Each structure stands twice: as C-alpha cells, then as structure tokens.
Amino acid sequence: MAPQDALLGWDDLANAEAYEAFTRSFPMYDTTSRDLARRAHLDNAEVAVDLCGGAGATARTLLDLLPDHALVVSLDAAAAMQEVGRRTLTDPRLTWITAPAEQLGDHLASGSVDAVVCNSALWKTDTPAVCAAVARVLRPQGRFVFNIGGGFAGVRHPDEETSARPSLNTLIRQVAETDHGYTAPPGPKEPKLPLETITHHLNHAGLHVIDAEVTAQHSTMAEKKAWLSIPLFARPEGNFTHEQRLRILNAAYARTTPDARTVTSWLVVTAERPKAAA
C-alpha cells in the first residue's frame, strides 16, 4: 500500500508517537523552531500561535523563549498528534485547539495575537485561506513566520550542493528499482509554493513580507534514516507494506556512512501585519 497521505495520515496514533519521539531524539525541529521564534521577535509577546503544531515540538520552544506571563496556542487538525503532545507538554500557559489551520480565525479574536509560527507545514494547507486567517488574528505589527521545504518552494541552498551524495532518498529509489522492479512516478514540473506565489497570497490577505531567506538545515544520514522510518514518511511510494519499506530503507542506509552530512534547504519567510494608520 502507499504511505499514508501526508495530509490525513497525521491523525494516526502510531505515526504521532513515532513523530514525537523523533522530535525529542534529533535536533531538526528544535533548530528550526528556534530559528522561526527568533524571527518572530517574541521578547514582549503575550500570545503566540503554533500553527499546524502537531505534538507540540514548536510549542515547546515557544514556551521556553516567551516571557513567563505569555500564552501559547497550539492548533492542529490531527487529534492523535495533540493527544501525544498532551502527555508530556503540561505547561498551564499552553492551550490546545483541534482544528484545521484555515479555521484559526474562528477560535481566536481579531487582533489578539502577537506572532504566528508555522514549522514545516504551510504547503499542506489551503495557503490563501491560512494567510487570511492569520491576518485576522494578528495585531498590528504582529508577525507571521514560517518555512517551506526547498522542493516545494523551488529553492536550493549552496550547502546542499556539497552534502552527502547520493542522498538517502536516491539510494532508496535505486534499491527499490533494482530489487523490486519499482518505477518512480514523475515529480511535479513546477514548485508548489515559490516565493512569488506566497508573497501574492500574503499581500492579498493584507500582510507584507519583510524578509525571505533560503537557509540550510544540517543533519546526518542517521537522522535522515530515523525520519524515513516514521510510517508517514517511509518510501518509496507504491504497493509496498511498511515492513518492505523498512527493509528497503535499511538496504539503502547500509550503503552510507551514518555521520555523513546531509543538508535540507528551506525558504524562511517573515511577514507582518502593517501598523494601523494614525
């Protein structure tokens, strides 16, 4: 069977538990969360939203960095993800809301939020609707900070050119083709959410882009293998069981060095609701 859909597969307890364990064992989400929080300027914030917050990896960082009196709202459509997050994140400053990102404005008052942070998820949403919802809840000069995977944004950081080659994804495909007669489907011809498109959606919602940067997330083959072991992300697509995908992953990983450097590119965007006219 195909891997679970990256939109609907989140509401599955096994995926949620594996995902949450990954965020605590490897630095990827802590690093990206801290980068987004830094750009959100949270020093004087009173309310921040972790949009598409999952099991709370980014909320955990926000709670660490916000003033002691500040509140965090983690909103996600997957109840299973939030169920796992509630087991360990019990800070009374944190509120969980189970709802799609597009419905953010239905749960928070207009102009009540200082910052909205969305880590590794915006391309899975109805982006124009999300931008409109964020614009509604942000106060004037409030910030919306998010990242978009390089493949979805059509960007590539120079560091990615010097990372481990071939990639683990490439090796997985090679093993599947050689040992299982797999034929990879054609990839998309155009990036789903390039900067030009996201800027249009933000401007239409009344938000202004104040910064956009292509960044590099450095990790290792070992971390990449752990990521691809989560059922939701296991590869390749097609008529494979999860056990078969893990065997293919292990065979591909055996061709690598665990501490070999890997690089993932991101487009990081900071937008702001303009200051109200005098």
Side-chain angles (χ1 to χ4, degrees):
M1 66 179 71
Q4 289 177 289
D5 181 81
L7 293 175
L8 305 178
W10 294 105
D11 202 12
D12 173 271
L13 197 56
N15 269 316
E17 290 173 338
Y19 174 84
E20 198 272 344
F22 174 89
T23 67
R24 291 186 176 275
S25 300
F26 294 93
M28 183 179 80
Y29 274 92
D30 183 67
T31 300
T32 52
S33 295
R34 289 183 180 277
D35 176 57
L36 297 177
R38 175 182 61 81
R39 297 168 190 265
H41 288 185
L42 300 174
D43 290 348
N44 298 311
E46 296 186 356
V47 180
V49 173
D50 176 18
L51 191 65
C52 303
T58 299
R60 187 166 62 238
T61 297
L62 295 176
L63 290 166
D64 286 343
L65 298 178
L66 281 163
D68 291 341
H69 67 277
L71 304 176
V72 175
V73 175
S74 185
L75 182 143
D76 196 278
M81 293 287 282
Q82 294 193 332
E83 177 183 340
V84 172
R86 288 172 187 266
R87 297 174 187 172
T88 53
L89 274 180
T90 58
D91 193 309
R93 297 176 295 157
L94 174 60
T95 298
W96 301 88
I97 296 177
T98 307
E102 296 82 358
Q103 296 178 12
L104 174 67
D106 297 338
H107 298 274
L108 295 172
S110 297
S112 64
V113 173
D114 298 285
V116 176
V117 173
C118 184
N119 194 353
S120 312
L122 189 67
W123 63 87
K124 304 169 189 172
T125 69
D126 179 345
T127 309
V130 169
C131 291
V134 170
R136 176 181 173 185
V137 303
L138 278 179
R139 63 165 177 77
Q141 296 186 287
R143 290 192 167 190
F144 180 28
V145 187
F146 55 90
N147 50 21
I148 302 171
F152 295 100
V155 299
R156 189 176 178 90
H157 192 277
D159 286 1
E160 194 172 350
E161 302 294 342
T162 61
S163 63
R165 288 290 184 271
S167 70
L168 189 53
N169 278 329
T170 297
L171 292 171
I172 288 171
R173 186 173 64 251
Q174 290 175 356
V175 170
E177 289 172 346
T178 301
D179 298 347
H180 300 272
Y182 173 71
T183 301
K189 294 182 179 180
E190 301 292 338
K192 181 176 182 178
L193 206 58
L195 180 59
E196 180 181 5
T197 299
I198 190 60
T199 298
H200 171 77
H201 295 328
L202 290 164
N203 289 345
H204 185 73
L207 299 172
H208 293 170
V209 174
I210 59 175
D211 186 65
E213 181 184 359
V214 178
T215 66
Q217 171 68 30
H218 295 261
S219 60
T220 64
M221 283 289 184
E223 182 174 15
K224 187 69 172 179
K225 177 179 183 289
W227 175 255
L228 292 170
S229 297
I230 299 171
L232 189 62
F233 305 121
R235 294 294 180 265
E237 298 178 354
N239 192 30
F240 296 97
T241 66
H242 183 57
E243 290 71 22
Q244 287 174 322
R245 292 191 178 96
L246 289 181
R247 286 197 294 271
I248 292 170
L249 171 61
N250 288 332
Y253 184 65
R255 302 181 183 182
T256 72
T257 302
D259 60 355
R261 186 179 68 145
T262 66
V263 178
T264 303
S265 298
W266 294 93
L267 175 64
V268 185
V269 179
T270 303
E272 187 174 270
R273 180 180 175 186
K275 186 177 180 180

